[in-house]
Amino acid sequence: MNQPVWIWYPGDMELFHGMKQNFEREERGYDWPAFWKMDDWRKNIRFFRTYQLEEPEIFEVHASGVGHVAVNGEKYPFEQKIALHPGVNKIEVFAGSRTGLPAVFIESEGGRIESNETWMADDFTEMHPVGTSPLFAEKSVDPNEVPYVEEALEPASVNAVKGGTLADFGRMVNGWPVIHFTDTENAEQAFTICYGESAEEATDLKWCYYKETGLVRDDFREGAEQPKLRRRAFRYIFLPDVSPEEAEISAVHTKIPLEVKADCPVKDPQLKKIWDICRETYLLCGGLFFIDGIKRDRWIWGGDACQSFAVNPYLLRDPEINKRTLRALFGNRPLRQHINTIVDYSLLAVIALENEHRTYGDGSFLREMYPKAEALTELLLSQKNEDGFLIPRERDWIYIDWADIDKVGAISAEQILLWRALKAMAYCARTLAYEDGLHAESETIRGQSDIRNVILHGPDGRPLPEDERMAEMVPVSDAERGYLLQTAESYDACAEKLREKINAFFWDPDQGAYIDSYESGKKHVSRHPNIFALLYDFAEGEQAGEIISHVLENPEIPAITTPYFKFYELDVFGKLGMKQRLEEEIRSYWGGMIERGAVTIWEEFDPKVEGAKQYAMYGDPFGKSLCHAWGASPVYLMGKYLAE
Amino acid sequence: MNQPVWIWYPGDMELFHGMKQNFEREERGYDWPAFWKMDDWRKNIRFFRTYQLEEPEIFEVHASGVGHVAVNGEKYPFEQKIALHPGVNKIEVFAGSRTGLPAVFIESEGGRIESNETWMADDFTEMHPVGTSPLFAEKSVDPNEVPYVEEALEPASVNAVKGGTLADFGRMVNGWPVIHFTDTENAEQAFTICYGESAEEATDLKWCYYKETGLVRDDFREGAEQPKLRRRAFRYIFLPDVSPEEAEISAVHTKIPLEVKADCPVKDPQLKKIWDICRETYLLCGGLFFIDGIKRDRWIWGGDACQSFAVNPYLLRDPEINKRTLRALFGNRPLRQHINTIVDYSLLAVIALENEHRTYGDGSFLREMYPKAEALTELLLSQKNEDGFLIPRERDWIYIDWADIDKVGAISAEQILLWRALKAMAYCARTLAYEDGLHAESETIRGQSDIRNVILHGPDGRPLPEDERMAEMVPVSDAERGYLLQTAESYDACAEKLREKINAFFWDPDQGAYIDSYESGKKHVSRHPNIFALLYDFAEGEQAGEIISHVLENPEIPAITTPYFKFYELDVFGKLGMKQRLEEEIRSYWGGMIERGAVTIWEEFDPKVEGAKQYAMYGDPFGKSLCHAWGASPVYLMGKYLAE
C-alpha cells in the first residue's frame, strides 16, 4: 500500500510557488517583481476518481481551499469521516481557493481511498491527471508553503572593521542573520544590518544590496526569541557602529534538500577544488526551482535553468527539480509570451524537453508538457520575416549572450536553435507515438479543450487493478499515433527546409563561418552561432572543419566572456575531443575566481579587474551575483569529458 | 483638480471580487464553489503614464502588492515622497501580488500626478487603460476588501417557539446575528444558532441551510465584543433550548449602497406594495455585483444579471454595477467556456452589451468589452451542427428555462437568441466605428496581443491638456473604422442567413409557431422560442400574429411557471400593448406571494402549494430562495408599461 500525497491540478503547484520565487527580488529597499507575464495557477478544481470497492471503507478529505466532497453525488464537508459501501463509488472533491493552491489530501482507514497520481483534476474546461511532488507527501506539509529545512550557522570570523563589526560566515548563506545585542541599555537605539556577498559590499553602507534597520528592542536583546528576518543571500554581515563585544551574530541557512549522488570525478587537487565550489554553487541555486543566483534576481530564468538541467545527471540525477522548473517556465496555454520574454529561452526549453526524456525516460512528463511545447513552437513558427526566418516581435528579447553580436533582423544563432528545437519536437512527437502511455491523452495532443485522460498503468508500468483505474478510460488511439507521427514528419521537414535556408543566407564561404546577420550587410562573425552549429551537429563534415579553424581556433574572433556561453563553448571543446583546451579553460577561468577567494562561482569573471571593481556589473557597484548557477557547468564538463 | 483613485488592470477588480462572490456559497456545513472555470485576475502589472511638467512636483505611490516606482528609469520604493523635475517624466509603477489585487493609488502635493483613468496598465502582454471604480476612490478604502456598509438591526419580534427562541427581523438580512446570552453561568454551554428565510426553515434544526454552533464563552456573554459571524442571509434566527429571557438577539445587515433614483410609478396600493417589495428584493441582490439570490447560490449568474440590467434604469440608473457584473461574467480572453457554462447566458450577455450602450452611451466600456464579446461570438459560431445551427459542446448547458422544452439537437430558442446576439454585435461594431474614442485601441479590436491604447480626451469629451495625455498616442484609424464596419456587415449577413434557416427548419405553419426542435421529430411547441421571436422582432407581420393567437393566447401551450421567463413573457405583453394582461399577471403572481407574507420575491411561486412545502425546490425542503433577483422584474415592467 502506498501512502497518500497532496494532489493539485498538474503544474499548478509550480506556478503558485514559481510566482512567489519571481516576486522575491529585492534591491536597496524596494521589490522588483520579474518583468514578464505571470501565469496563474487555477483557483477552482474538481478532483475525481471512481473506486470499485469490495469492502466498506472510511475516508477523510483534507483540503487547502473551500469546498466539499461528493460521493455518488451526495455532499459532505471536508475534515469528516465518510463511510463508503462496497460497490462503485464515484468520489469528487471540489476545492476552490482564491489566494492559495487548491489541493487535497485524502486518507482512509483501510488504505483503499488515497489521493495519489491515479486521481484526475478538472478546472471545468480541461481534465488531466493530478500533479504531485515528493516534497508534499505528508499531510502535515502544507503545499502552500515552501518546505525549507533550516540550518544554524556560526560565523567563521568576526572582526572589528571600519568602526563596526564584520561577520564572515566563510560560505554563502541563503537565510537570515540572528543578532543579539548584548548591551541591553541600548534597547531604544537604532541599528543597521548590512549584508554582502563580499566584504566590500557588506561594509558599503550606501551600496550594499540588502540592509535592515530597526530598534534594538526586546527581539534583538540577548536571549530574546527573534523574528525571522527576510530570506536573503549573504556571506558577510556588517553592523556599523557596533563593536564585536556588543553583538552576537549567527545565521540560519535555509534550503530544499537535494541529494548529491556523485563524487568528484577527478583527482587533481585544483580541479577537485573547482568541482567542489561548482557543486556548492549549484546546490545553493537549486531548491524548489533552479534560479539564476541567490542574491540578485532570484528569478527562474530559462536559459540558466537549461544549463542546470545539463549538470543535474552529473551530480543529483534528480528529475523532480527539472520538472518543477520546466512547469514554472512554460506556464499555461495559450502561450503568448516567450519564456522570460526571451526567444532563445523558449527554444532552449523545447530542446530541454527532449533532453529530459532522453535522460530520465519519463513519458508521463513528456505527455504533460507536449501540448505546451507544441503551442510554444506554433508561436515561434508564427514569427517570420519575409525570408521565412524567426524574428522577434515587438516586446521579444533576442538574448543569446551578453556579447557583441550583430542583431539586425533575423540572426543565425536563433535560427540554428530553431532548427534544433524542431528536431526536438519531432523526437518528442515520435516518442509519444510509441510510448505505452501512463497517461494517454488523445485529444490534449491536439491542444483541444475537451479532453479525456486515462490511467491504465501504475508508475511501475504494470496494469492497475480494476478498483484503482479511472472511471473513464480510453486506450492510446491509432488516430493519436497517426497524428503524432505525421506531426513529427512535418517538424522534420520544416527543420530540413530551414537548414537549407540558413546555409543559403548565413554561411559565408569566404570567412568559413556563419555570419550573425545577413540583413545588416556587415557579415559580422561571432562565436555564438558557430558554436551552436558544432554543438548541435548542424554543421557537418567540411563545414564543421572550417568553423573549427576559422572561428573556434581563431583568436581574432572575440572570445566568449560569460560563463553562460562558456558552457556551450567548452561543451564543444569536449565534444570535439579538445580536452586539453577544455581543462585549461576550467583551470584558468574557474581557478582564477577561486584564487581570488571565491566560495561560489560568480556571474562573470575578468582576471584583469581587481579590488572592489570586480563586483560591479550592469552599471551597479555590487550588481554582480557571486553565486550564480550558470557558473556550475564544470560539474557537467568534468563529469562528461574529464572523468578519470 | 480631480481626486486620485485606486487603479488596476481593467476588469481585474471584478475578477478578484467576483471569484470571492462565487466561492461564498454555503450549505449545511460545507462550501460550494461555483462549478465553472474561474478566470483569474492578473498578478503582475506595470502601470505607466508620462507627464510633461512645467513645475516641480512631489508625489507618492501606495500599492497593494510588492514592487517599486521608476521615474525615467530610476527606481524608488513605495510609500516614499519622490521629487520630480519640470520636463518629461515617464512614471512606471511595478506592482505584483500573488494573493491580492495589484493596485496603486498615487497622490501628489501639487495635484499634478494622480492615479486616475488616464493611466495605462500592462500585464506584459497587453496594455490597456486602467480600471477604476467609484467604490474605491479613497486611499483608505482597500481594493482587496468589499466596502460593505454595516447597519444594526433589531428584531421585529422575539417569541418562544418549539422550546426555543425565534427572532423575526421582519425583513431579509444579509449579514450576521449578534447574540448575547444573559445567563452567564452557562458560559461553557454549547449553543446552536439556526438561520431561516422562513420561520419553518429556522426552526428546522436538521434542514435549515445555515447553522452555527459554539460555546457560550466570553464572546457571546452579555456585553462582550462579539466576532463577526459569517455573512449569511436570513429573516429569522432560532435558538433551540433557549428562552427569550436568556438571550439578546440583534443583527448587522451589510450592503454596498445603491442609490434609488426612482419613485414608484403607479398609485394603486397593491401594485405599489408589489413595487416596494420588488425594489427591496432588487437592492438586496445587488451590491458589488448582481447575484441570483442572497441565501443559496449567491453566484453571479448571467441570465439573472441580464434581467437585473433591465430593471436598473427604472430604479437606480447606475451603470457601474452593470459594468462590474459584466466584467465578472465575461472573464478573460481566450473565452473557452460559456458564461456559467450556459450557452444562452453567453448570448444574453452579448445582447446586454448593446443594451448597455443604448442606455448609458458609454463608448469606453463598449471598447473595453468588445474584444471579449467578439471572442465569445467566435466561440458561439464555432459550435455548429451540419445544418449550421448552434449546438452545445459536451460540457455546455442549454438552459432557456426550468420548463418542458424539447432540447434534442439544435433548439429554436437558442437560434433566435443567436440571431439577436449577431445583431447586437453588428450594432456594437458599427457604434465603435463612429465613436470618437475615449480609448482608441486600434488593434485590440482584432483581438491581437500587441496593442496601442490612447487617451486623447477626458471623460467630459474635451481634449486633454498635453501634460495629461499618454506618452503614446494613435488617433482612431481609418483602418480600424474600416475593419469595424466590415465586421458589422458580416455579422448582419450572418444573422440574415440564420433567420432564413430558422424559418425553414423551425417554423411550423400548421401550428403557427416555432417548434423547439426539428431533429426529434416531435414538433413540440413551447412558449419560449415564440416569446423570444416576438420580443426581439424576429417574427414580423403575419407570423407574429399567428404566434400571438396560437401560442401566447393559447391555454393549451403550457404556461410559463418561473419568474425568470415570466420576465420575457410579460415584456412581450407590454410590448404588444396587452397592458391589462400584464397587470393581472403582476397582481396574481407577485401579489400572491405578498399575500403569503413575502417580504421579498421568491425564486418561484405556485399558488397551489401551501405551508412548509412552498419553500421546497430542487428536491430540497428549503432549497427555494426567498429573495431572488429575477423576481424584481415588475420594477421594469411597471416603469416601462404601467407608469401613470
Side-chain angles (χ1 to χ4, degrees):
Chain A
M1 185 174 69
N2 291 315
Q3 293 299 312
V5 294
W6 282 96
I7 57 177
W8 47 76
Y9 195 88
D12 272 7
M13 182 275 282
E14 288 83 355
L15 294 177
F16 177 74
H17 287 292
M19 193 185 290
K20 181 167 186 287
Q21 184 70 53
N22 286 328
F23 278 172
E24 278 188 358
R25 180 169 182 173
E26 181 197 3
E27 211 169 287
R28 301 189 181 101
Y30 55 82
D31 295 291
W32 188 340
F35 54 82
W36 51 79
K37 175 91 165 69
M38 297 264 172
D39 270 352
D40 262 309
W41 71 100
R42 289 151 196 79
K43 300 298 163 41
N44 195 26
I45 305 294
R46 179 178 73 102
F47 299 94
F48 65 95
R49 230 204 88 164
T50 297
Y51 287 89
Q52 175 79 40
L53 292 181
E54 281 166 26
E55 294 170 67
E57 177 61 290
I58 290 174
F59 78 110
E60 188 166 354
V61 176
H62 314 279
S64 149
V66 298
H68 62 268
V69 186
V71 178
N72 297 324
E74 191 163 335
K75 302 186 195 75
Y76 301 88
F78 295 145
E79 306 292 338
Q80 190 181 87
K81 289 191 189 304
I82 302 168
L84 296 179
H85 299 293
V88 173
N89 288 280
K90 180 176 181 186
I91 304 178
E92 294 168 286
V93 180
F94 295 85
S97 176
R98 192 169 63 140
T99 56
L101 176 72
V104 304
F105 186 97
I106 305 168
E107 56 187 350
S108 59
E109 294 185 356
R112 295 177 194 86
I113 310 287
E114 287 178 341
S115 49
N116 57 31
E117 73 287 348
T118 64
W119 280 67
M120 297 284 289
D122 174 15
D123 71 350
F124 299 96
T125 59
E126 291 192 21
M127 291 178 250
H128 292 286
V130 297
T132 66
S133 164
L135 290 175
F136 300 104
E138 303 280 326
K139 183 169 72 175
S140 60
V141 180
D142 180 356
N144 289 280
E145 301 296 329
V146 184
Y148 288 123
V149 170
E150 298 182 5
E151 186 184 345
L153 297 177
E154 293 298 323
S157 69
V158 179
N159 291 299
V161 171
K162 290 186 181 177
T165 297
L166 180 70
D168 174 5
F169 287 87
R171 55 160 289 176
M172 289 294 180
V173 184
N174 202 350
W176 51 87
V178 180
I179 293 167
H180 292 109
F181 293 95
T182 50
D183 181 1
T184 49
E185 282 172 25
N186 284 336
E188 289 307 311
Q189 207 171 310
F191 68 86
T192 300
I193 306 170
C194 299
Y195 301 63
E197 284 193 315
S198 62
E200 287 84 345
E201 184 185 4
T203 56
D204 188 326
L205 271 65
K206 184 172 178 199
W207 288 105
C208 65
Y209 256 62
Y210 307 134
K211 214 158 37 185
E212 189 83 39
T213 58
L215 296 175
V216 178
R217 289 257 168 87
D218 294 25
D219 290 344
F220 291 89
R221 283 189 191 190
E222 208 171 358
E225 177 81 14
Q226 195 165 118
K228 291 173 185 179
L229 295 175
R230 184 165 174 166
R231 189 170 179 260
R232 293 165 171 143
F234 57 91
R235 171 176 166 181
Y236 299 90
I237 290 294
F238 181 62
L239 302 176
D241 305 321
V242 173
S243 72
E245 295 73 37
E246 290 174 314
E248 284 168 8
I249 305 173
S250 62
V252 174
H253 176 65
T254 56
K255 62 182 178 187
I256 301 291
L258 296 169
E259 192 196 343
V260 174
K261 300 203 187 80
D263 291 326
C264 179
V266 294
K267 292 202 188 77
D268 175 89
Q270 192 199 14
L271 289 180
K272 193 167 181 320
K273 183 154 193 201
I274 291 169
W275 190 89
D276 283 344
I277 286 179
C278 288
R279 169 188 181 280
E280 171 79 356
T281 306
Y282 190 76
L283 294 175
L284 283 164
C285 296
L288 205 49
F289 308 104
F290 286 119
I291 58 172
D292 65 328
I294 59 174
K295 179 181 94 170
R296 202 193 50 226
D297 299 10
R298 298 192 287 185
W299 293 340
I300 309 170
W301 286 101
D304 307 47
C306 287
Q307 301 197 358
S308 294
F309 299 156
V311 170
N312 192 336
Y314 295 91
L315 196 67
L316 311 173
R317 220 177 159 75
D318 175 3
E320 292 301 321
I321 183 172
N322 294 6
K323 293 198 278 186
R324 291 195 294 268
T325 304
L326 283 163
R327 288 180 183 120
L329 286 170
F330 270 87
N332 292 323
R333 281 178 304 151
L335 295 163
R336 292 168 57 186
Q337 193 178 56
H338 289 291
I339 289 175
N340 316 126
T341 78
I342 301 178
V343 179
D344 19 321
Y345 283 10
S346 285
L347 293 162
L348 290 168
V350 169
I351 298 167
L353 290 181
E354 173 181 341
N355 293 339
E356 277 302 291
H357 189 267
R358 285 191 189 272
T359 309
Y360 304 102
D362 185 343
S364 165
F365 179 66
L366 184 57
R367 266 190 194 278
E368 177 188 330
M369 299 303 288
Y370 185 81
K372 297 182 184 185
E374 198 176 43
L376 192 55
T377 308
E378 242 169 64
L379 175 62
L380 287 159
L381 292 176
S382 75
Q383 308 181 203
K384 283 183 179 165
N385 73 2
E386 54 191 11
D387 299 317
F389 290 116
L390 172 60
I391 50 167
R393 299 169 303 165
E394 196 175 330
R395 304 180 88 182
D396 290 341
W397 179 4
I398 300 285
Y399 168 61
I400 301 297
D401 191 15
W402 298 120
D404 181 26
I405 297 169
D406 177 2
K407 292 187 181 173
V408 174
I411 71 164
S412 55
E414 214 75 20
Q415 313 311 316
I416 295 171
L417 284 181
L418 175 59
W419 170 83
R420 181 64 189 81
L422 288 167
K423 303 294 285 182
M425 286 303 293
Y427 169 88
C428 294
R430 210 163 270 129
T431 301
L432 288 178
Y434 293 109
E435 186 83 16
D436 262 345
L438 171 63
H439 302 144
E441 308 168 23
S442 60
E443 289 186 88
T444 307
I445 300 299
R446 278 176 291 283
Q448 298 299 311
S449 64
D450 188 22
I451 288 160
R452 279 280 169 284
N453 284 283
V454 205
I455 297 185
L456 289 171
H457 302 85
D460 54 1
R462 279 179 307 172
L464 287 172
E466 199 179 41
D467 70 348
E468 295 249 275
R469 281 194 206 163
M470 299 303 310
E472 300 182 273
M473 288 181 291
V474 194
V476 185
S477 69
D478 289 342
E480 182 191 355
R481 184 167 293 123
Y483 167 79
L484 286 165
L485 292 177
Q486 189 195 329
T487 305
E489 267 178 48
S490 90
Y491 282 132
D492 272 338
C494 186
E496 188 47 37
K497 205 172 135 192
L498 182 64
R499 177 205 283 264
E500 285 164 18
K501 278 204 301 195
I502 293 170
N503 279 320
F505 282 77
F506 291 99
W507 178 255
D508 183 350
D510 299 337
Q511 300 192 72
Y514 289 102
I515 56 172
D516 288 336
S517 157
Y518 63 86
E519 214 175 295
S520 72
K522 289 182 192 157
K523 299 197 174 181
H524 181 265
V525 173
S526 68
R527 290 182 183 260
H528 304 78
N530 294 288
I531 285 171
F532 282 151
L534 292 172
L535 186 65
Y536 294 133
D537 294 324
F538 179 81
E540 290 170 343
E542 278 179 33
Q543 225 176 8
E546 293 212 45
I547 291 174
I548 293 168
S549 56
H550 296 124
V551 182
L552 217 58
E553 301 190 328
N554 180 356
E556 282 174 27
I557 306 292
I560 298 297
T561 61
T562 63
Y564 175 66
F565 219 86
K566 262 195 199 298
F567 167 83
Y568 294 108
E569 187 180 40
L570 299 188
D571 203 5
V572 167
F573 290 157
K575 184 183 159 84
L576 297 174
M578 299 158 72
K579 292 193 183 181
Q580 202 184 333
R581 175 105 184 249
L582 168 62
E583 194 178 314
E584 276 164 16
E585 285 274 353
I586 291 176
R587 284 184 195 275
S588 67
Y589 190 89
W590 277 266
M593 263 180 267
I594 291 166
E595 274 169 32
R596 300 271 174 101
V599 293
T600 47
I601 303 301
W602 305 349
E603 187 173 12
E604 195 193 28
F605 172 57
D606 183 345
K608 295 187 294 293
V609 183
E610 301 209 349
K613 280 187 185 161
Q614 65 192 324
Y615 307 123
M617 202 171 170
Y618 307 110
D620 186 301
F622 298 105
K624 188 176 290 173
S625 157
L626 300 191
C627 176
H628 217 69
W630 71 25
S633 59
V635 171
Y636 160 76
L637 296 165
M638 288 190 209
K640 187 165 181 184
Y641 301 116
L642 303 181
E644 288 159 13
Chain B
M1 185 174 66
N2 291 317
Q3 292 299 311
V5 295
W6 283 97
I7 57 177
W8 48 76
Y9 195 90
D12 272 7
M13 182 275 282
E14 288 81 355
L15 294 178
F16 177 75
H17 287 292
M19 193 185 291
K20 181 167 186 289
Q21 185 70 53
N22 286 329
F23 278 171
E24 277 187 0
R25 180 169 183 173
E26 182 197 2
E27 213 169 284
R28 300 188 183 101
Y30 54 82
D31 295 290
W32 188 341
F35 54 81
W36 50 79
K37 175 90 165 71
M38 297 264 171
D39 269 351
D40 262 308
W41 70 100
R42 289 150 197 79
K43 301 297 162 42
N44 195 26
I45 305 294
R46 179 178 73 103
F47 299 94
F48 65 96
R49 230 205 89 164
T50 296
Y51 288 89
Q52 175 78 42
L53 292 182
E54 282 166 26
E55 292 171 68
E57 176 63 289
I58 291 173
F59 78 110
E60 188 167 353
V61 176
H62 314 279
S64 148
V66 299
H68 62 267
V69 186
V71 178
N72 297 325
E74 190 162 337
K75 301 185 196 76
Y76 302 88
F78 295 145
E79 306 292 339
Q80 189 181 89
K81 289 194 189 302
I82 302 168
L84 296 177
H85 299 293
V88 173
N89 288 279
K90 180 175 181 186
I91 304 178
E92 295 168 285
V93 180
F94 296 84
S97 177
R98 194 169 62 140
T99 56
L101 177 72
V104 303
F105 186 96
I106 305 169
E107 57 187 348
S108 59
E109 293 185 356
R112 294 176 194 89
I113 310 287
E114 286 179 342
S115 49
N116 57 32
E117 73 288 348
T118 65
W119 279 67
M120 298 285 288
D122 175 15
D123 71 351
F124 300 95
T125 58
E126 291 193 22
M127 291 177 248
H128 291 286
V130 297
T132 66
S133 164
L135 290 175
F136 301 103
E138 302 280 327
K139 182 169 70 175
S140 60
V141 181
D142 180 357
N144 290 280
E145 300 295 329
V146 184
Y148 289 124
V149 170
E150 297 183 6
E151 188 183 344
L153 297 177
E154 293 298 323
S157 70
V158 178
N159 290 299
V161 172
K162 291 186 180 178
T165 296
L166 181 69
D168 174 6
F169 287 87
R171 55 161 288 177
M172 289 295 179
V173 185
N174 201 350
W176 51 89
V178 180
I179 294 168
H180 292 110
F181 293 94
T182 51
D183 182 0
T184 48
E185 282 173 25
N186 283 336
E188 291 305 312
Q189 207 170 311
F191 67 86
T192 300
I193 306 169
C194 299
Y195 301 64
E197 285 192 317
S198 62
E200 287 84 345
E201 183 185 2
T203 56
D204 188 325
L205 272 64
K206 183 173 179 199
W207 288 105
C208 66
Y209 255 62
Y210 306 133
K211 214 156 41 183
E212 188 83 40
T213 57
L215 296 174
V216 178
R217 290 257 166 89
D218 295 21
D219 290 345
F220 291 89
R221 285 188 188 191
E222 209 171 357
E225 178 79 16
Q226 196 165 117
K228 292 171 183 180
L229 295 176
R230 186 166 172 165
R231 189 168 177 261
R232 294 164 171 144
F234 57 92
R235 172 176 165 180
Y236 298 90
I237 290 293
F238 181 62
L239 301 176
D241 304 321
V242 173
S243 73
E245 297 73 35
E246 290 174 313
E248 284 168 6
I249 305 174
S250 62
V252 174
H253 176 66
T254 57
K255 63 182 177 187
I256 302 290
L258 297 168
E259 191 196 342
V260 173
K261 301 201 185 80
D263 291 326
C264 179
V266 295
K267 293 202 186 75
D268 174 89
Q270 191 198 14
L271 289 181
K272 194 169 178 319
K273 185 156 192 198
I274 291 170
W275 190 90
D276 283 343
I277 286 179
C278 289
R279 169 187 180 281
E280 170 79 355
T281 307
Y282 189 76
L283 295 175
L284 282 164
C285 298
L288 204 50
F289 308 104
F290 286 119
I291 57 172
D292 64 327
I294 59 174
K295 181 182 92 169
R296 201 193 51 225
D297 300 9
R298 300 191 287 184
W299 293 340
I300 309 169
W301 287 100
D304 307 47
C306 287
Q307 300 197 0
S308 293
F309 301 153
V311 170
N312 192 335
Y314 295 91
L315 196 67
L316 311 172
R317 221 178 158 75
D318 175 4
E320 292 301 321
I321 183 173
N322 294 6
K323 291 198 278 186
R324 292 194 294 268
T325 305
L326 282 164
R327 288 181 183 121
L329 287 169
F330 269 87
N332 292 323
R333 280 180 302 151
L335 297 163
R336 293 168 55 186
Q337 192 178 57
H338 288 292
I339 289 174
N340 317 126
T341 76
I342 301 178
V343 179
D344 20 322
Y345 282 11
S346 285
L347 294 162
L348 290 167
V350 169
I351 298 166
L353 289 181
E354 172 181 342
N355 293 338
E356 277 303 292
H357 188 266
R358 286 192 188 272
T359 309
Y360 304 103
D362 185 343
S364 166
F365 179 67
L366 185 57
R367 265 187 196 279
E368 177 189 330
M369 299 303 289
Y370 185 80
K372 297 181 184 188
E374 198 176 43
L376 191 55
T377 308
E378 240 168 66
L379 175 62
L380 286 159
L381 292 176
S382 74
Q383 308 181 202
K384 282 182 182 168
N385 72 3
E386 55 191 10
D387 299 317
F389 289 117
L390 172 61
I391 50 166
R393 298 169 304 164
E394 194 175 333
R395 304 180 88 183
D396 291 341
W397 178 5
I398 299 285
Y399 169 61
I400 301 297
D401 192 14
W402 298 119
D404 181 24
I405 297 169
D406 176 2
K407 292 186 180 173
V408 175
I411 72 164
S412 56
E414 214 74 21
Q415 313 310 318
I416 295 170
L417 283 180
L418 174 59
W419 171 83
R420 181 63 189 83
L422 288 167
K423 305 291 285 180
M425 285 304 292
Y427 169 90
C428 294
R430 210 163 268 129
T431 301
L432 287 178
Y434 292 110
E435 184 83 17
D436 263 344
L438 171 64
H439 302 147
E441 307 168 27
S442 59
E443 290 185 87
T444 307
I445 299 299
R446 278 177 291 284
Q448 297 301 311
S449 64
D450 188 23
I451 289 160
R452 280 280 169 284
N453 285 281
V454 205
I455 297 185
L456 289 171
H457 302 87
D460 54 2
R462 279 179 308 172
L464 286 172
E466 199 180 42
D467 71 349
E468 295 249 277
R469 281 191 206 164
M470 298 304 309
E472 300 181 272
M473 288 182 291
V474 194
V476 185
S477 68
D478 289 342
E480 182 190 355
R481 184 168 293 122
Y483 168 79
L484 286 165
L485 292 176
Q486 187 194 331
T487 305
E489 267 177 51
S490 91
Y491 283 132
D492 272 337
C494 185
E496 187 49 36
K497 203 171 136 194
L498 181 63
R499 179 207 282 264
E500 286 164 18
K501 279 205 301 195
I502 293 170
N503 279 320
F505 282 77
F506 293 98
W507 179 254
D508 183 350
D510 298 339
Q511 299 192 73
Y514 289 102
I515 57 172
D516 289 335
S517 158
Y518 62 87
E519 215 175 294
S520 72
K522 289 184 192 157
K523 299 198 173 181
H524 180 267
V525 173
S526 68
R527 289 182 184 260
H528 303 78
N530 295 288
I531 284 171
F532 282 151
L534 292 171
L535 185 65
Y536 294 133
D537 294 324
F538 180 82
E540 289 172 344
E542 279 179 31
Q543 225 177 8
E546 293 212 46
I547 290 174
I548 293 167
S549 56
H550 295 124
V551 182
L552 218 56
E553 300 190 330
N554 179 356
E556 283 174 25
I557 306 289
I560 299 294
T561 62
T562 62
Y564 174 67
F565 220 86
K566 262 194 199 300
F567 167 83
Y568 294 108
E569 186 180 40
L570 299 188
D571 202 6
V572 167
F573 290 157
K575 183 182 161 86
L576 297 174
M578 299 158 71
K579 293 193 180 179
Q580 203 183 331
R581 174 106 183 249
L582 170 61
E583 193 178 316
E584 276 165 15
E585 285 274 355
I586 291 176
R587 283 184 194 278
S588 67
Y589 189 89
W590 278 265
M593 265 179 268
I594 292 166
E595 275 170 29
R596 300 270 173 104
V599 293
T600 46
I601 303 301
W602 305 348
E603 187 173 13
E604 193 193 28
F605 173 57
D606 183 346
K608 295 187 293 294
V609 183
E610 301 208 346
K613 280 186 186 163
Q614 65 191 324
Y615 306 123
M617 202 170 171
Y618 307 110
D620 185 302
F622 298 105
K624 188 177 288 176
S625 157
L626 299 191
C627 177
H628 217 70
W630 71 26
S633 59
V635 171
Y636 160 77
L637 297 165
M638 288 189 207
K640 186 164 184 184
Y641 301 116
L642 304 181
E644 288 159 12

